[in-house]
């Protein structure tokens, strides 16, 4: 037996929270009967219909992509730009977990597993994301300490993080800074640097939890192993 909202989420129709809204709003039926109670449990052989569509549970797929620049972290783009989904050869309906900016490169995960996506993006789980940022000018140690301790962005303080100088390129007057955060606010790393007057010239996400880009070139991808998926679920 499985909870109805979990089943809907695992079918890739919606997040579990959105699935709960669909249930309470009378948009879900099980074996021909409308179900509005969130505690309802079903068998996977039951006929579940959401907004008139019979659900079919997809085989779970998990991909790790080395995202290039100028690619949108979305399933589709209204402006017709290339998306991360376009780079993966599959007929499965997958979507990215979280986002990377259009001009940010590096690791991004894609899946059709709504439960894992919710787990990894929920702020309470403190999943580490590691970046290498190239910023204009010399990155001062006191600024590294300020950003690591947390700063106010849009009225809310950022969580403890790590900002550490990796190296300084005198010729180009730019610093390479290692950044580790556990949040996923839009443009967070760039906005934190900007708050102290640093322009981010390049940004690359090199690690997501324990996963890295080893063996991949920009634009390449691989499927996650069963062991890696289990490790991600263990981050609860």
């Amino acid at each position: 037996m499985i909870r109805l909202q979990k089943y809907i989420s695992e079918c890739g129709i919606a997040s579990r929270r959105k699935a709960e809204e669909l249930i309470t709003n009378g948009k879900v039926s099980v074996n021909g009967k409308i179900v509005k109670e969130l505690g309802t449990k079903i068998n996977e052989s039951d006929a579940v219909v959401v907004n008139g569509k019979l659900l079919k549970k997809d085989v779970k797929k998990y991909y790790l992509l080395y995202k290039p620049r100028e690619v949108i972290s979305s399933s589709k783009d209204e402006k017709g730009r290339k998306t991360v989904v376009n780079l993966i050869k599959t007929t499965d309906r997958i979507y990215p977990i979280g986002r990377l900016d259009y001009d940010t490169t590096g690791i991004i995960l894609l899946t059709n597993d709504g439960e894992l996506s919710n787990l990894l993006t929920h702020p309470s789980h403190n999943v580490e994301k590691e970046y290498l940022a190239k910023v204009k000018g010399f990155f001062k140690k006191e600024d590294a300490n300020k950003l690591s301790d947390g700063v106010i962005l849009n009225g809310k303080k950022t969580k403890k993080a790590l900002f550490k100088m990796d190296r300084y390129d005198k010729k180009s007057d730019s610093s390479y800074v290692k950044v580790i955060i556990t949040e996923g606010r839009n443009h967070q790393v760039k906005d934190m640097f900007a708050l102290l007057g640093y322009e981010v010239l390049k940004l690359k996400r090199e690690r997501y939890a324990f996963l890295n880009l080893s063996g991949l070139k920009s634009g390449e991808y691989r499927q996650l192993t069963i062991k890696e998926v289990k490790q991600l679920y263990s981050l609860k």
Side-chain angles (χ1 to χ4, degrees):
M1 301 290 281
I2 183 173
R3 285 182 179 272
L4 181 57
Q5 59 264 41
K6 182 178 180 182
Y7 179 79
I8 294 171
S9 175
E10 289 184 352
C11 287
I13 294 297
S15 68
R16 195 176 299 189
R17 185 174 296 177
K18 181 63 177 178
E20 291 175 350
E21 292 179 12
L22 290 168
I23 294 168
T24 55
N25 289 334
K27 304 294 184 181
V28 180
S29 69
V30 178
N31 299 328
K33 291 186 177 182
I34 298 294
V35 175
K36 292 186 177 182
E37 293 186 13
L38 296 181
T40 301
K41 290 187 177 182
I42 64 166
N43 290 308
E44 293 191 7
S45 59
D46 289 333
V48 179
V49 175
V50 177
N51 286 327
K53 181 180 178 182
L54 178 65
L55 300 193
K56 182 179 179 182
K57 196 170 182 180
D58 296 325
V59 175
K60 297 293 184 291
K61 297 289 185 179
Y62 308 89
Y63 297 93
L64 186 160
L65 170 70
Y66 187 155
K67 178 190 169 301
R69 290 170 64 90
E70 300 182 352
V71 174
I72 301 295
S73 295
S74 178
S75 300
K76 54 186 177 180
D77 181 59
E78 295 177 354
K79 298 179 181 179
R81 293 170 293 182
K82 185 176 289 187
T83 73
V84 289
V85 171
N86 296 148
L87 298 178
I88 296 179
K89 295 179 181 179
T90 179
T91 57
D92 294 306
R93 184 183 57 218
I94 58 173
Y95 49 86
I97 297 177
R99 289 179 175 272
L100 286 179
D101 291 342
Y102 185 63
D103 59 349
T104 298
T105 64
I107 187 171
I108 189 165
L109 304 181
L110 298 97
T111 187
N112 56 2
D113 185 343
E115 184 176 3
L116 182 64
S117 180
N118 291 338
L119 186 158
L120 294 177
T121 54
H122 197 284
S124 67
H125 293 134
N126 296 315
V127 178
E128 285 191 350
K129 277 82 70 174
E130 181 176 332
Y131 297 80
L132 183 64
K134 180 183 179 182
V135 301
K136 188 65 178 174
F138 183 81
F139 186 58
K140 300 175 184 177
K141 186 174 182 179
E142 55 265 37
D143 289 336
N145 292 336
K146 288 178 184 176
L147 294 175
S148 296
D149 288 339
V151 292
I152 304 297
L153 280 184
N154 300 318
K156 184 180 178 183
K157 189 172 183 178
T158 58
K159 291 184 177 181
K160 292 279 186 178
L162 174 67
F163 283 73
K164 183 180 180 181
M165 170 80 91
D166 184 67
R167 65 186 187 277
Y168 172 70
D169 186 340
K170 190 174 182 180
K171 187 175 181 180
S172 63
D173 183 30
S174 55
S175 301
Y176 291 82
V177 184
K178 177 181 178 181
V179 178
I180 299 177
I181 61 173
T182 58
E183 296 178 283
R185 304 194 209 179
N186 286 341
H187 317 300
Q188 180 175 343
V189 174
K190 291 178 182 177
D191 288 348
M192 291 177 77
F193 276 115
L195 197 65
L196 299 187
Y198 293 97
E199 178 188 0
V200 176
L201 304 175
K202 286 185 179 181
L203 187 61
K204 177 184 179 184
R205 185 157 71 186
E206 298 190 318
R207 179 172 63 85
Y208 191 105
F210 57 87
L211 297 167
N212 59 45
L213 294 165
S214 179
L216 295 179
K217 296 178 181 178
S218 181
E220 293 183 339
Y221 65 90
R222 67 174 179 83
Q223 290 197 47
L224 296 185
T225 66
I226 293 175
K227 182 179 178 181
E228 287 171 333
V229 174
K230 288 182 177 179
Q231 281 183 266
L232 289 172
Y233 265 105
S234 73
L235 297 175
K236 291 182 181 180

